[in-house]
Amino acid sequence: MSQTTQNITYLIEQGSWQSLGLASQLIKGLNYPPLALHKVVEKITLQYLHEFMPDMDYHRFGCSIIDKMTFDLIHQKLNQFLEVPCIEVEVCSDFLFLKNYVKISPSDYELIEVYFEEFTNTLFYSIRAKFKIGAVLNGA
């Protein structure tokens, strides 16, 4: 592992918003290495969910407050660090699956898929949603 890759990994593991910003800048400067790009997108999403999702005191009747607005806010947070014109969301009581389209050049996008199981166990069993936020100009 190169020194720069180690630095990016270290910054991502620190988990502060400032270190994630620095990691994102390094990733951009290195022409978006896929593994590092995936790690930073996953960490930004995970960190947002950990810091800003309501705790159990806000849950009623076994339902979470995870909704489209949550993902609009995640989309905005990702765009503070990288250019992510579109995310596709699939959420249900078993999993959360995000497809993030990261713009890496004027006409190219890198698809970063992020999958979590730990945030949906408080969703009512029948809740299932699939939607898209934003758009990719080349038709993705």
Side-chain angles (χ1 to χ4, degrees):
M1 188 182 311
S2 75
Q3 184 66 33
T4 306
T5 306
Q6 286 177 335
N7 289 341
I8 292 172
T9 301
Y10 175 73
L11 288 168
I12 292 169
E13 288 171 357
Q14 278 187 342
S16 73
W17 293 116
Q18 185 177 19
S19 64
L20 288 170
L22 293 172
S24 298
Q25 289 176 3
L26 283 170
I27 288 168
K28 289 176 191 176
L30 294 171
N31 203 22
Y32 301 90
L35 183 58
L37 182 59
H38 184 275
K39 284 182 181 180
V40 81
V41 168
E42 183 176 65
K43 182 64 175 184
I44 291 167
T45 304
L46 188 63
Q47 182 138 331
Y48 183 88
L49 288 168
H50 277 299
E51 287 188 20
F52 299 107
M53 282 300 296
D55 61 18
M56 287 306 289
D57 293 335
Y58 289 93
H59 296 296
R60 276 184 80 182
F61 309 114
C63 292
S64 172
I65 302 178
I66 292 178
D67 62 5
K68 186 175 182 296
M69 187 176 79
T70 301
F71 301 103
D72 286 329
L73 295 171
I74 290 171
H75 183 238
Q76 289 175 20
K77 183 59 90 173
L78 285 167
N79 276 289
Q80 290 177 5
F81 300 97
L82 301 163
E83 191 172 348
V84 185
C86 179
I87 63 172
E88 293 179 17
V89 178
E90 185 173 357
V91 62
C92 67
S93 61
D94 296 325
F95 64 86
L96 167 59
F97 181 59
L98 299 171
K99 291 182 180 179
N100 302 277
Y101 294 87
V102 180
K103 192 168 189 175
I104 59 173
S105 75
S107 61
D108 279 338
Y109 299 88
E110 183 75 32
L111 176 61
I112 305 295
E113 297 180 340
V114 179
Y115 182 86
F116 298 113
E117 291 181 331
E118 64 267 22
F119 293 103
T120 56
N121 58 358
T122 56
L123 287 173
F124 189 64
Y125 69 92
S126 66
I127 293 177
R128 184 176 194 103
K130 190 173 186 176
F131 52 88
K132 191 177 200 177
I133 299 170
V136 175
L137 295 178
N138 67 0

